[in-house]
């Protein structure tokens, strides 16, 4: 059974309240519930976490080694500023996919560079919560086709 860790970064605890025109009306609890439903359908074990603190996110990435088969990460604003998250993703031999609800290329120029995305196997953005669902489907599919 593939084990996937979902890491939601800063301000994602405000989903459904913060700029719904950009991030949608679904709350974080609703997003996590939909991911748990999909994980059960796909036969995966899912852990979802959210933090506004960079160091906590780093600790979760480090702890994924040996406990997760894949990481889905939405680093929030740390996407554009955190070399530390990039380094952690590079240091841990667990495939990661960066996701974003909005399309960064349709946003302010400061949001159009991802420091963390270069350390991931892929980046999915601009599809709302479907970005997370597609990442989960990919990680589970990749886990099932790899030899154990």
């Amino acid at each position: 059974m593939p084990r996937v860790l979902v890491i939601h970064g800063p301000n994602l605890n405000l989903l459904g309240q913060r700029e719904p025109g950009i991030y949608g009306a679904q709350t974080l609890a609703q997003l996590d519930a939909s991911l748990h439903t999909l994980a059960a359908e796909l036969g995966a074990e899912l852990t979802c976490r959210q933090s506004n603190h960079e160091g906590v996110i780093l600790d979760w990435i480090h702890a994924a080694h040996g406990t997760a088969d894949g990481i889905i990460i939405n680093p929030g604003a740390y996407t554009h500023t955190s070399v530390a998250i990039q380094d952690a993703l590079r240091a841990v031999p667990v495939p990661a996919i960066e996701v974003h609800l909005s399309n960064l290329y349709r946003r302010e120029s400061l949001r159009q560079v991802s420091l963390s995305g270069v350390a991931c196997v892929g980046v999915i953005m601009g599809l709302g919560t479907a970005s997370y669902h597609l990442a989960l489907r990919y990680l589970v599919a990749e886990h099932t086709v790899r030899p154990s």
Side-chain angles (χ1 to χ4, degrees):
M1 174 180 282
R3 301 162 299 170
V4 178
L5 171 63
V6 177
I7 300 173
H8 305 288
N11 297 311
L12 288 159
N13 56 307
L14 300 176
L15 282 181
Q17 303 167 34
R18 178 182 174 229
E19 299 180 89
I22 295 173
Y23 302 110
Q26 193 173 65
T27 67
L28 184 61
Q30 290 168 327
L31 170 57
D32 285 348
S34 72
L35 288 169
H36 279 287
T37 298
L38 179 58
E41 291 171 13
L42 298 173
E45 180 183 319
L46 190 72
T47 302
C48 297
R49 297 191 167 131
Q50 187 278 328
S51 181
N52 294 317
H53 305 282
E54 185 178 31
V56 172
I57 293 169
L58 295 174
D59 290 342
W60 290 338
I61 294 169
H62 295 167
H65 181 49
T67 63
D69 299 303
I71 298 170
I72 299 169
I73 184 166
N74 182 341
Y78 290 135
T79 301
H80 323 292
T81 63
S82 182
V83 174
I85 289 176
Q86 180 192 103
D87 287 348
L89 289 167
R90 287 183 191 268
V92 175
V94 178
I97 298 181
E98 180 174 296
V99 298
H100 296 283
L101 298 163
S102 66
N103 181 346
L104 302 182
Y105 297 113
R106 298 187 76 188
R107 307 283 308 276
E108 309 92 325
S109 60
L110 68 98
R111 296 183 193 273
Q112 294 177 7
V113 174
S114 171
L115 298 180
S116 45
V118 299
C120 295
V121 297
V123 177
I124 304 171
M125 70 172 92
L127 304 175
T129 58
S131 296
Y132 283 87
H133 295 139
L134 290 169
L136 179 57
R137 286 182 182 282
Y138 175 84
L139 288 171
V140 170
E142 281 300 299
H143 182 268
T144 57
V145 298
R146 286 186 296 157
S148 299

